[in-house]
Amino acid sequence: MSSLSRLLKSKKCVSNYGQQIRVFSAQASPNGNDVEMDDEEFRVLNLRASNQKQLARREFKKPEVMPPRSLKMATDQDWTAVWPGPRSFHPASVPLPIRQGFTVKGAAPPSKYANAELMKIPNFLHLTPPAIKQQCEAIKKFCTPWPKGLETEEKWKRLFPVDVVSTDYCQALPTIRNPDARRVTITLKLSELKFDDHAKDKFLRLVGDRYDSETDILTIVADRCPLRKQNYDYAMYLLTACYHESFITEPWEESKSEADMENYKYERNKSKLSVEQILNWGNADSSDKREASTGYIESLENLVNGGENEYSLNKYKEEVIKMIGLRQ
């Protein structure tokens, strides 16, 4: 019994050992028949199994794009609520067929959608007439009434004779500052200033070619300083300094003779004495002296200062005959 059990045990070990070293193959047998797989053999890993389920491809769904807002805008909407302040151009918010950009000859300019030319320039869509009116109504409570007595241009020109002109620029540049915006121009009629003969003559010498004798306008332009406020203060300083300096009489100015005068003045010329002597010839009464007429003085000054021409000579002739009392 013991020998029989030992024999069976040895056969079992051999069988197990053979199962461990057995080589499996999926190739067909030479005779065309498949190798019969025992129950004890390992299963073949088939990567291309026919019963393998194919995974469904994931479909990508595009999100629905809403239509532009401009297509739903009413014609009577409040535009100030759509575009309340300055901002970059947005095509979906502007219900206008705006076009801008360079194209080939004969083609229409690019539309407002994806147009960089419209987005990089400043726009004034926030300054429409209704928006300006609404803003004016909002700040109206902070304004004061117009001063009485300045209803016409002649009245405020008489009270405010100095005009200050400056310019603001709007440009499509990286900076909003323009170097020409610092320039300040001051204009003033010379007749608005009070001068005597000496002060007016000296003032005209100081201002030089800034004075236009035909229009009687003095123009002072200041652009030396970097800021507009500084140029305005400098221009007002020049006007004030020239005005007050013209009334100062230096010691060397007393030596100015009649030949040094720029214009002919009847009152300070020796011809005044000559005319009075001719008019008062043989009149011994000093209390009843005759003087030259206003028309004669004006015609004589125009003739000497403006030059001789047919009109000035005829005018001077008429005034002389009228003053002396000769018959034509």
Side-chain angles (χ1 to χ4, degrees), residues 30 57 63 73 78 100 119 122 125-126 182 186 229 231 253 277 285 313:
R57 180 173 293 182
M73 290 184 176
D78 184 12
Q100 183 174 345
M119 291 187 290
L125 296 175
H126 62 288
R182 72 182 191 277
I186 292 180
K229 180 64 168 57
N231 287 314
E253 295 183 31
Q277 289 177 1
D285 189 4
L313 290 174

Short mmCIF file of all heavy atoms in Angstrom, two decimals, residues 30 57 63 73 78 100 119 122 125-126 182 186 229 231 253 277 285 313:
data_model
loop_
_atom_site.label_atom_id
_atom_site.label_comp_id
_atom_site.label_asym_id
_atom_site.label_seq_id
_atom_site.Cartn_x
_atom_site.Cartn_y
_atom_site.Cartn_z
N PRO A 30 0.32 22.60 -38.48
CA PRO A 30 0.69 22.38 -39.89
C PRO A 30 -0.41 21.78 -40.72
O PRO A 30 -0.50 22.04 -41.91
CB PRO A 30 1.90 21.46 -39.79
CG PRO A 30 2.44 21.68 -38.41
CD PRO A 30 1.28 21.98 -37.55
N ARG A 57 -17.33 58.19 -29.93
CA ARG A 57 -16.54 59.42 -29.91
C ARG A 57 -17.36 60.56 -29.30
O ARG A 57 -18.54 60.72 -29.60
CB ARG A 57 -16.13 59.79 -31.33
CG ARG A 57 -15.31 61.07 -31.41
CD ARG A 57 -14.79 61.30 -32.80
NE ARG A 57 -13.81 60.26 -33.16
CZ ARG A 57 -13.17 60.25 -34.33
NH1 ARG A 57 -13.43 61.19 -35.23
NH2 ARG A 57 -12.30 59.30 -34.58
N PRO A 63 -21.15 76.37 -28.18
CA PRO A 63 -22.17 77.13 -27.44
C PRO A 63 -22.94 78.07 -28.38
O PRO A 63 -22.38 78.60 -29.35
CB PRO A 63 -21.36 77.92 -26.42
CG PRO A 63 -19.99 78.00 -27.00
CD PRO A 63 -19.80 76.74 -27.80
N MET A 73 -32.39 96.55 -30.43
CA MET A 73 -32.57 97.90 -29.89
C MET A 73 -33.76 98.58 -30.54
O MET A 73 -33.97 98.48 -31.75
CB MET A 73 -31.30 98.73 -30.13
CG MET A 73 -30.12 98.30 -29.30
SD MET A 73 -28.71 99.39 -29.55
CE MET A 73 -27.55 98.70 -28.38
N ASP A 78 -33.25 105.02 -24.83
CA ASP A 78 -32.42 106.03 -24.18
C ASP A 78 -30.96 105.71 -24.47
O ASP A 78 -30.39 104.78 -23.91
CB ASP A 78 -32.69 106.03 -22.67
CG ASP A 78 -31.92 107.14 -21.96
OD1 ASP A 78 -31.38 108.03 -22.66
OD2 ASP A 78 -31.89 107.14 -20.73
N GLN A 100 -14.91 101.58 -41.60
CA GLN A 100 -13.67 102.34 -41.59
C GLN A 100 -12.51 101.41 -41.88
O GLN A 100 -12.49 100.27 -41.44
CB GLN A 100 -13.44 103.04 -40.24
CG GLN A 100 -12.19 103.89 -40.21
CD GLN A 100 -12.08 104.68 -38.93
OE1 GLN A 100 -13.04 104.81 -38.19
NE2 GLN A 100 -10.92 105.20 -38.66
N MET A 119 -11.69 100.54 -33.07
CA MET A 119 -11.46 100.36 -31.64
C MET A 119 -10.29 101.18 -31.11
O MET A 119 -10.24 101.52 -29.94
CB MET A 119 -11.23 98.88 -31.33
CG MET A 119 -12.48 98.04 -31.50
SD MET A 119 -12.26 96.34 -30.95
CE MET A 119 -11.17 95.71 -32.21
N PRO A 122 -10.42 107.38 -30.58
CA PRO A 122 -11.46 107.86 -29.66
C PRO A 122 -12.74 108.19 -30.41
O PRO A 122 -12.70 108.64 -31.56
CB PRO A 122 -10.84 109.12 -29.04
CG PRO A 122 -9.84 109.58 -30.05
CD PRO A 122 -9.32 108.33 -30.71
N LEU A 125 -19.39 108.93 -29.14
CA LEU A 125 -20.74 108.39 -29.03
C LEU A 125 -21.39 108.73 -27.70
O LEU A 125 -22.61 108.63 -27.56
CB LEU A 125 -20.71 106.87 -29.22
CG LEU A 125 -20.25 106.39 -30.60
CD1 LEU A 125 -20.14 104.88 -30.63
CD2 LEU A 125 -21.21 106.87 -31.68
N HIS A 126 -20.59 109.14 -26.71
CA HIS A 126 -21.16 109.54 -25.42
C HIS A 126 -21.49 111.02 -25.38
O HIS A 126 -22.02 111.50 -24.37
CB HIS A 126 -20.17 109.22 -24.31
CG HIS A 126 -18.87 109.95 -24.43
ND1 HIS A 126 -17.94 109.64 -25.40
CD2 HIS A 126 -18.35 110.98 -23.71
CE1 HIS A 126 -16.90 110.45 -25.27
NE2 HIS A 126 -17.12 111.27 -24.27
N ARG A 182 -0.22 124.50 -25.49
CA ARG A 182 0.28 125.43 -24.47
C ARG A 182 0.25 126.88 -24.96
O ARG A 182 0.39 127.80 -24.15
CB ARG A 182 1.70 125.06 -24.08
CG ARG A 182 2.74 125.37 -25.16
CD ARG A 182 4.13 124.94 -24.76
NE ARG A 182 5.15 125.46 -25.65
CZ ARG A 182 5.50 124.91 -26.80
NH1 ARG A 182 4.87 123.81 -27.20
NH2 ARG A 182 6.44 125.45 -27.56
N ILE A 186 -3.32 136.65 -26.77
CA ILE A 186 -4.09 137.73 -26.15
C ILE A 186 -4.25 138.85 -27.17
O ILE A 186 -3.25 139.31 -27.75
CB ILE A 186 -3.40 138.24 -24.88
CG1 ILE A 186 -3.43 137.17 -23.79
CG2 ILE A 186 -4.06 139.51 -24.36
CD1 ILE A 186 -2.75 137.59 -22.51
N LYS A 229 -1.17 127.64 -18.44
CA LYS A 229 -1.35 128.63 -17.37
C LYS A 229 -0.13 129.52 -17.23
O LYS A 229 -0.25 130.74 -17.02
CB LYS A 229 -1.62 127.89 -16.06
CG LYS A 229 -1.83 128.80 -14.84
CD LYS A 229 -3.09 129.65 -15.01
CE LYS A 229 -3.47 130.34 -13.71
NZ LYS A 229 -2.41 131.20 -13.17
N ASN A 231 2.00 130.30 -19.65
CA ASN A 231 2.04 131.20 -20.80
C ASN A 231 1.01 132.31 -20.68
O ASN A 231 1.26 133.45 -21.10
CB ASN A 231 1.81 130.41 -22.09
CG ASN A 231 3.01 129.56 -22.47
OD1 ASN A 231 4.14 130.02 -22.44
ND2 ASN A 231 2.76 128.31 -22.82
N GLU A 253 15.00 160.88 -22.36
CA GLU A 253 13.90 161.15 -23.26
C GLU A 253 13.59 162.64 -23.38
O GLU A 253 12.93 163.07 -24.33
CB GLU A 253 12.64 160.40 -22.79
CG GLU A 253 12.78 158.88 -22.85
CD GLU A 253 11.49 158.18 -22.46
OE1 GLU A 253 10.42 158.75 -22.70
OE2 GLU A 253 11.57 157.09 -21.88
N GLN A 277 0.10 183.15 -36.52
CA GLN A 277 0.55 184.48 -36.92
C GLN A 277 -0.14 184.95 -38.19
O GLN A 277 -0.49 186.12 -38.34
CB GLN A 277 2.07 184.47 -37.12
CG GLN A 277 2.86 184.36 -35.82
CD GLN A 277 4.35 184.29 -36.04
OE1 GLN A 277 4.82 184.34 -37.21
NE2 GLN A 277 5.12 184.17 -34.97
N ASP A 285 -5.53 192.92 -30.67
CA ASP A 285 -6.23 192.43 -29.47
C ASP A 285 -5.83 190.98 -29.22
O ASP A 285 -6.15 190.08 -30.02
CB ASP A 285 -7.74 192.57 -29.67
CG ASP A 285 -8.52 192.28 -28.39
OD1 ASP A 285 -7.85 192.06 -27.34
OD2 ASP A 285 -9.76 192.27 -28.43
N LEU A 313 -4.17 165.97 -50.86
CA LEU A 313 -3.88 167.33 -51.34
C LEU A 313 -5.16 168.13 -51.55
O LEU A 313 -5.24 169.32 -51.18
CB LEU A 313 -3.07 167.26 -52.63
CG LEU A 313 -1.62 166.77 -52.49
CD1 LEU A 313 -0.99 166.60 -53.87
CD2 LEU A 313 -0.82 167.73 -51.64
#
